[in-house]
Every structure is written in C-alpha cells, then in structure tokens.
Amino acid sequence: MDPNFVQGLHNLLVQSTSNDTAQLKAATAQLNTDYYKNPILASSPEFPVRQLAAVELRKRVRQKSGDFWVQLPQDTREEIKSKLPQLILAEPQTLVRHSAARVVASIASIELKEGTWPQLLPWLNEACTSPQVAQREVGVYILFTVLETVIEGFQDSNQNFFKLFEALIVDRESMEVRVTTVRALGVLAQYIDADDKADIKSFQNLLPAMIQVVQEALEAGDEAAARQLFDVFETLLILEIPLLGPHTEALASFLLVCGANRNLDAELRIFPLNALNWTVQYKKSKIQSQNLAGKILEGLMPITTEPEPEDTDDDAPCRSALRIIDGLATNLPPTQVFPALRTLIQQYFFSPDPSYRRGAMLALGVVVEGCSEYMTPIMSQVWPIIEAGLQDVDPSVRKATCIAVSCLCEWLEEECAAKHATLVPAIMNLVNDPATQRSACTALDALLEILQDVIDQYLNLIMEQLANLLDTAPMAVKSVVTGAIGSAAHASKEKFLPYFQPNYEPPPTLPFGTFAEAVGVDAFRPYFADMMKQAFQGLEMGSPRLRECSFLFFSVMARVFGEEFAPYLPNVIPPLLASCRLPEHGEENEASFSSDDAAAAFASGSSPTSAIAVLDTDSDGNIEAEMEDVDVDKMLEVNSAIAVEKEIAADTIGALFHATRNHFFPYVEQCVIELVSLLAHYYEGIRKSATESLLELVRTFYELSDPQEWQAGAAVTVPLQPLVKELVGHCLPPLLDMYESEDNKSVVASLCIGLAETANKLGPAFIENNVEQICSIAIQVLGQKALCQQDPDQDENEEAPEDQAEYDSVLISSAGDLVAALANALGPDFAQAFGTFFPLIAKYYGKNRSLSDRSSAIGCLAEIIAGVKGAVTPSTEPLMELFYRALADNEAEVQSNACFAVGLLVEHSLVDLSPQYLPLLAALRPLFDATADAPRPRLNAKDNAAGAVARLIFRNSTAVPLDQVLPVFVGALPLKEDYVENRPVFRALFHLFRTVPQTLGPHLDALLAVFVHVLDPSGPDQIGDEGRAELIQLIGFLNTQEPVPWVQMFYPFPPTI
C-alpha cells in the first residue's frame, strides 16, 4: 500500500482525536471523501489511532448492510480475513484487540452465511486451545463476539462449544479467559431451544463452574469483570428456558454468602445482592416450591444491621438487603415470608445492639406492602414492638420505627387509625427531638392522612407545632413538615379553614393543592391565580421534578375548580404533551459529559458525541457501541426523573378532561396520539398511566355525548355516537395489542380494571367486535397463563399453587372485575361464556386460598349473576353449593359477599329455591349477631345478610317463616355500612306492607324509627330518590289509616317529605 496514503490516513486519525471541534469536523469530512472509498487496514505506533482505525474498518464492513464489503475484490477480502486474526494476536492493547475482534465478527456475519470463511472456526478452536495464554484470551474473545453476531448459524455446533468452554472455564492461567467464557455461555444460552434437552443439560453442568468464576472475580476485587458476570446471570434469570432451575437453591445461597461477606468492598457486594433480588423475582416458583424464603431471610437480616449512607440516592448492602425482603414479600405467599421474618424481627429487636433493633424495624416496614392482609389479624402482636421502638433509647431505632409506622399507615389504614391514641402522642414527641425530627414528620404525614374525623382532637396541637417547625427547622426537615401539614388539611377538610388564613406571604413549598381540596373552592379562590402563576414558573425552570410538581398541582386544581380551570388549558396542555415527547437519552445525557469524559472516551475509541469515536453507527444510522469499553451507567443511563415526569403528565391528561369536560375537546385528538405512543414505553409506570388516561378519555367523552341508556346484549341496540365510536377505535385496539406483550402485573391489572369500568359505562357497544379478545385476557389471567404470570420453571400444563403472593391476588381480582363487566354488558348473552369462566373463578375459593382470593371469587360470581339474571339458571345448583360453603367461611368479608351472591341467585334463578329457604336462613342467622361495636367487616356482613333475607322475602314470602324471621330482620335495621342493600331491604318491606301488612304490625314502632333514620336530610343518602319517594308515600298512607303521634317524628324535616 502507498506509504503516503497510510501516512495521510494516520495523520487524519490523529487529528480525529483532537478536542478541537473544528479540527475534528475537518478530519471527518476528509476521511469521508478521500479514504472511506478505499479498503483500509491501518496500523500505527499510537494505540488510540489503531483503535479508531478498527472502529472505522468495522463501519466499512457493515456499510449498506454488508453490501459494501461484498463488493470488494475477492482477493482483498481474503487478504483482510487472513491477516486480521494475526494482527489481533499481535496487538498489545486490550481495547484495540476488542474493537478488532468485532471487525472479525462483522465480517463473519456476512461470510459465514455464504460459507466463504471455512477457516474461521478451526482457527478460533486452535487459538482457544493454544498453549499460549495470550492466544487463548484472543481466541475466546473473538469467539464471544462472533457468537454475539452470528449465533443463528451455529446451533448445530452447540455441543462442540460446550466441550470447548468446559476446558476454558477452568483455565488456571487467565482470569480473562474464564470471564469471557462465561460471557460466551451467556450468549449461547439465549439461543438454546426448550426442546434441546441435551443442550440444556450440558449448559446446566457448567453452571457450578460459572458460579466459581463469579466468586473468583469478587475475591480478586475485579469490579469490571464482576459487573459483566452478573449481567450474564441476570440474563439467565429472565430467559424463558429454565436453565437455572436445578441450581436455584445453590445460586441463591452463593449470592447470599457473597452479599453478606463484609471482607468484600461494599460496591462489589451490591452485585450479588441485586442478582439475588432478580432471582427472587424471576425464579419465584423455585423459591416457593423449595421453601427458601426462611433461609434467605436469615442471611439478609445481618446485612440490614449495617450502616446506611447519608445520601438517600447512594446504594449500600443494607438497602439492597431490604429490597430483597420487599421482593420476597411481594412475590411469594405471605405464609412463607412473614412467619419466618416475624421470628427474626423479635430476635433482633430484643438485641442489646441498637443496629440489630434498627434492622428489625426497617425489615418490618418493607414487608408490610406484600403481607398487609396476612398481618391484619395479628397486628396485636406487632404493636408492642412498634410502641417500644418509638421510645427506644437509640435515635437510629426511633427513626427506623417512624419509617415502619409510615409503611403501616400506607397499607393498614384502619388498624393504624385505631391506634391514634398511642401513635399521635409518641410521634409528636419525636417531632420535637432534633435527632428524629425528619423521620417523625414523615410518619406523622402518613398517619394524619388516614385519621379522618379523629384528627379533630389533635389538630390544634399538631398545627401549632408544625407551624413552629416551618420557622425554625432545617430546610431538610421543612420539606417533610409541609407534607404533614398537607395531610392534616386532607384529614380535617373544612376544619382546616382557620389555619388557612395567612397574614404573611406563604412559602411556596406548602401543599396548596391539598389545602384547596380541604378548604374548598371559595376559600381558596383568592390564591388560585397566584398559585397557578407559580406552577407555570416551575415549568420553565428546566427541572423534571418541578414540572412533575406543577402537573400534579394542575390536576388537583382542575379537580377542585372543575370547569373554572378551563381558561388555563391552552397553557397547560402544550407542556403536558411536550413532556410526553421528551427524550430520555441523547442530548441531556450527552451534555452531562465533561471534557475529561470525552477525552477518556476518545482514548477508548468511544466518544459520547462523535460518530467517529465511541458510538458506531450502522448503515441505517442506528447507534451501536463497544459495550464492554463504555461506561454503561453514564452512556445509557435512563433519566428516571423524566420517566416519572412522563408518568405524571400522562395521568394528568385524563384528570383534566374529566374535570374540565367539553372545554377539553380541542385537545382530545393530540392527547390520544401521545398517550397511545406511550403504551410501548419501557417504563411500566408510564404504560399504566397512559392506559388509565386513555380509558378515562373514552368514558368522559361518552358522558359528554348525551348518551341514551344502553341495553345489555351481544347485539348492540343503542350504538355509540360516531365520534365516541371513532375514539374507541383509536384507543381500544392499541390497548389490546399492548396486553399481548405486557409483562408487568400492575399494568395488566390496571388494564383489566379500566376495561371493566369502561364496559360498565358504555355497555356492549364498547366491546363490540372485541368480545373474544377481551374474554381471552380474563381467561388467561384467571388461568394464570398471561405473559406477566409466566414462570419458565413451571410446566405449561402445571396448575399454579393455590398459595400465592398478595399482589398476584390483586391481578386475579382485577380479572374478576373484567368478567363481571362483560356479564353486565352482555347480559343473558354471557350465559354460554359463563360455562368457561365459572370453574376458573370458583377455583379461587379453595381451602388454601387467601382471604382476598376467596372474597373476590364469591363477589365476582355475585356480580355475574346480577348481570346475566335469569340466564344463570343452568348453573344454579353448583353455585348454591359453593355459596353455602362461603357462608360458613371464617372471614366476615367472604361471608358478606356470599350473602350478596346467594340473595341474587334466589332473586334471579328460574329454579324454585323455596326448599332451600330454611337451610339458607339457618346459615344466615349467625351473621345477625354482630353487635354495634363489632369490626366493620362483621357489620358489613350483617347488612348483606339483611339484604339476602330481603331478597328471599321478595321472591317468595310464603316460604319464609315471617314470625321467626322478622324480629331478627327488623332488629338489624337501619343498615350501618352497606347502604346499597337498602334497596332490597325496602323493596321487601314495601312488598310485605302491600301483601301481608299484618305481619309488620308488631314491628311498626321499630320500623318508623328506621324510616326516620334513613330520611334524615342531615345524613348521607341511604335509599336513593326512588326509594325515598316510595317510602314517603308509604308513610302518608299509614297516616291516613290510623293517624298517631309518631308522625311528629318526621316534623324536623317536612320539606323533604
């Protein structure tokens, strides 16, 4: 090759490493015009130049999808193929070897498919088995890069690769060989077919050696290798092929031992702990079937006692351990998690070491989210520990207890509100203690939000102390004080008004949105315009967090002011849409690179901003990178703040339409376009918000279309307005498409609930032409076969275990809501589909099922009966059998739903169920024994039992022994909790007054007191307009028959009557 040509190229490549933008652009232009049209293979005494030459050669090979390479003369291609491996073997710099290896892989991707490089694999095998360690390092790395690129053509060679890797993975002379071998196995694993039993077994035989390499990398303190190795294992965990299955316990044990090893650097320990967290998430069936939760918790608890970093954004082993405890609680049945953890918590909490007591409290706090239902009946055993923790002598324990209280308040509202007399004074004491102020204010914030009317007795004291802290506390504390003030306003509602009369300019950090909801439109209106101005200013300050806060404020203001908010829409909607379109990589991340970052990137052949350097591009302009040579955390870091901002923006769009009604019409189309585009976003929070907002838009648009009342049935007799139908056509198909690839349970649950709400509102026209697909979603979820429920370690035909995580129960319940909505929309035409759904739903009423599963199963069946009405008749017998079992359940929540269900079955079935009346009444009778101070679920069950008896009476009063039933029935009135059941109750009473009034004579005084109660205008509406009118008519009739002084009882509210 012409020496002048080589020297000119060398000089340009040197110029390409300059930090001078003008020089770089000039060099790029000349390279493009003078050199890229000729095949080049450059070498230079300067390794950055050799590195750039390798990158440019790879570009050359891949140009136009390889066409440029193919058009080279055959002898030139052969020369490059023969010399390139030798050049790599001779290259002293690792980065250059890696870039040149990827040139080989790019060529191989073209040549191997054509069968024109038969020498490559034999050469690689020779290099990998060479007695020279340097050649083995080069050979296995080239093989790794080739497998990444052209694995599809190598499946027939898998066994040969396994044999080769079996030797390389124990190479005693080179850690690099062992690490690269594990990485190559990670690539190979992604292409093993589920039916290739031999390949699966061969791979599994190598897993112990792979784990050994990870351990060696950790012991050597090699962070880069450890990161690469754990990336491999995290990939193995999410594969659909159960490669890790037989080794799950060993892997979990190894990861736990490494994570707990305090002789390792903290940053290295985080790698195995994160991998263990993934193991819990993706191998939960193995963790569950082998009952490993207890062992894992025993290993994690000592890690929770370690110190936490001051910065909340910094990771540490103790925080990783708490994440895994949270993962165990949310992914496994609480029966496997909480009993074992409770034992450990008690053991640790009574330790003389405060760090152990702190760890116990933090573990208690994180476990609540996944075990709240399980914990509810045993909270009496938890409260003594909480109370002791709030008074612990060590401030770190008191702070941890405050965190635990915050978590308890979020997930166990009623239980925490009932302990207000203990919790409020204890936390207020900690608010006054500088050592615990911040954590105590956070706990107070969570507690106040759930206190409701109980807050009255504390409000003055709380506001006095919090107002003082706003003046005196450090800034970090003030931020949580404002949250607590907002929660006080939320709980106290209009009683907060005296505290919302500032005689000074209030600080902008105060939660004005919450204040507005608390004090109401009129009281807040003087501040409305100024607060909106501040919110708009927040949008202009370039901070995702401030934009998020502004969007939340807009949402609340729209909810409070309704259509008064409409004038602000032209200024609010554009920023919302702009947020939906914001990039999360690219410009913002590139701008964060310093000149030192850029110089380092150039030195490694990978620049953050230049196509010549770091990031390679293919023929289509897509960016590719030498990933092992790039700072992945910096280069590809997702801007989570922007992702959360998008989530809030998507959520706000639906809220604004709902609040501002027809004023939002000009923005519907563009909002739908943006929301649909977000359905494919990588972040599940955005997909969830987009799903909910799209369906909210559909429902609101329908409400504003002046709709006629729809009729249930498969045939649509009341069509949607054309614009509504068009909107449904834009929203529903993308949502159904999203489901097919949706792997997040919370998104699927939101989709099911949203579809159910929309079908209930719009009727059969909403699901027209999509019934089968929507039914399929419910069938898959109830059958635990949806993508988000799949577990590669579970056989396809194997039934999922009855004992499941509480989060799984939420998903199942949402599918039940969807089925009930389908029944409501289709009415009797759902009868045939019910034959498919009945066994899927009924199985969730099993002896080992959770309270949530049992309750939602019976409740779902009740709603289906309400929808299909008489069409339920063929299933009467099995339903009745199931409902008898549910009436005898030991949980009041299940019994309540069973009462509702059995009453509806008697009401709608065409089968004469009169012979069942006496055993049914006997089953219902114990539920009427709940006293006035009984827990709410018991009172609710009592109300539903009254509703069931009422339905029996209305269907066939002659089959009811009224002389025995009415004293108990009337004695249960007025209803205390479930006012919906007043409809059947008063319908039955009206029926008896019309048909056998003499049976009610002995109970008239009691009934009149009930009438007074339900007609009281100062209380909530309990019977609806129709029931109220009929009741007033009845009272008037009774007065004409026999005027008596009891009519005076109604005088306090004659206008209503």
Side-chain angles (χ1 to χ4, degrees), residues 66-324:
D67 287 346
F68 211 94
W69 169 260
V70 174
Q71 292 171 15
L72 288 177
Q74 184 66 35
D75 58 343
T76 303
R77 288 160 55 190
E78 293 300 327
E79 180 183 4
I80 293 174
K81 288 191 298 183
S82 64
K83 290 184 177 180
L84 189 56
Q86 301 304 322
L87 287 172
I88 297 173
L89 285 176
E91 173 58 54
Q93 290 290 337
T94 300
L95 293 176
V96 180
R97 288 202 304 267
H98 286 182
S99 291
R102 294 196 176 277
V103 176
V104 173
S106 295
I107 297 173
S109 68
I110 302 167
E111 299 273 350
L112 290 179
K113 286 187 292 187
E114 303 299 325
T116 52
W117 202 356
Q119 306 91 339
L120 178 61
L121 287 183
W123 182 87
L124 288 175
N125 186 72
E126 181 182 340
C128 288
T129 56
S130 168
Q132 297 181 34
V133 65
Q135 291 195 10
R136 295 198 301 276
E137 290 175 349
V138 170
V140 72
Y141 189 83
I142 295 177
L143 180 55
F144 161 60
T145 60
V146 169
L147 287 175
E148 277 192 312
T149 308
V150 287
I151 183 68
E152 289 88 346
F154 286 162
Q155 279 91 337
D156 294 340
S157 304
N158 279 0
Q159 286 300 317
N160 293 331
F161 288 137
F162 286 132
K163 186 175 181 181
L164 176 62
F165 292 152
E166 185 179 5
L168 292 174
I169 203 167
V170 292
D171 190 312
R172 288 297 95 198
E173 292 187 81
S174 173
M175 181 69 177
E176 182 180 336
V177 169
R178 300 196 297 275
V179 170
T180 308
T181 301
V182 174
R183 297 177 70 191
L185 281 165
V187 175
L188 206 60
Q190 299 174 53
Y191 295 92
I192 295 177
D193 192 272
D195 297 327
D196 290 336
K197 304 301 181 185
D199 286 354
I200 292 175
K201 184 176 180 181
S202 296
F203 189 94
Q204 290 174 339
N205 289 339
L206 291 174
L207 276 168
M210 294 172 70
I211 292 173
Q212 179 64 31
V213 175
V214 178
Q215 183 171 346
E216 291 166 356
L218 290 173
E219 290 173 351
D222 190 338
E223 183 176 344
R227 185 187 298 274
Q228 293 169 344
L229 293 168
F230 280 112
D231 283 346
V232 171
F233 275 89
E234 289 178 359
T235 298
L236 297 179
L237 286 166
I238 64 176
L239 290 178
E240 295 184 7
I241 308 302
L243 294 173
L244 295 177
H247 298 276
T248 300
E249 182 173 4
L251 177 63
S253 177
F254 165 72
L255 295 173
L256 193 55
V257 168
C258 293
N261 185 355
R262 300 193 187 191
N263 293 323
L264 297 175
D265 287 344
E267 290 186 2
L268 286 176
R269 293 170 60 197
I270 290 170
F271 289 139
L273 290 173
N274 286 344
L276 180 57
N277 197 19
W278 281 60
T279 305
V280 169
Q281 291 184 52
Y282 288 98
K283 297 294 170 186
K284 70 173 190 176
S285 66
K286 288 295 182 184
I287 301 287
Q288 180 174 346
S289 64
Q290 297 177 32
N291 203 18
L292 300 180
K295 296 177 182 177
I296 294 174
L297 288 167
E298 286 181 13
L300 291 174
M301 282 303 291
I303 306 176
T304 67
T305 67
E306 297 181 29
E308 280 192 275
E310 289 291 331
D311 192 332
T312 56
D313 292 329
D314 289 345
D315 209 348
C318 59
R319 289 177 176 167
S320 297
L322 291 168
R323 276 197 298 272
I324 300 170

Side-chain angles (χ1 to χ4, degrees), residues 15-37:
Q15 187 176 336
S16 298
T17 64
S18 170
N19 286 331
D20 187 305
T21 304
Q23 286 191 35
L24 191 149
K25 287 183 177 179
T28 301
Q30 191 171 351
L31 284 167
N32 281 329
T33 56
D34 297 343
Y35 289 91
Y36 290 177
K37 295 178 181 177

Side-chain angles (χ1 to χ4, degrees), residues 11 102 111 184 253 271 286 337 492 507 537 600 613 640 729 740 827 831 850 873 885 957 975 1040:
N11 293 338
R102 294 196 176 277
E111 299 273 350
S253 177
F271 289 139
K286 288 295 182 184
V337 178
S492 57
Q537 289 173 349
S640 59
E740 297 300 327
S850 66
T873 301
R885 288 165 49 204
S957 59
L975 302 185
T1040 62

Side-chain angles (χ1 to χ4, degrees), residues 927-949:
L927 302 180
F928 286 91
D929 292 334
T931 57
D933 59 349
R936 289 186 63 184
R938 289 287 168 200
L939 295 175
N940 198 67
K942 183 178 180 180
D943 286 356
N944 277 269
V949 170

Side-chain angles (χ1 to χ4, degrees), residues 15 35 111 117 167 203-204 332 348 350 419 424 450 509 539 610 655 658 676 768 793 798 836 987:
Q15 187 176 336
Y35 289 91
E111 299 273 350
W117 202 356
F203 189 94
Q204 290 174 339
L332 297 179
Y348 275 59
F350 291 107
K419 293 291 292 184
V424 173
I450 62 173
T509 55
L539 295 177
S610 169
H658 183 75
V676 167
E768 187 181 17
D793 293 297
E798 181 184 354
T836 300
R987 185 181 60 179

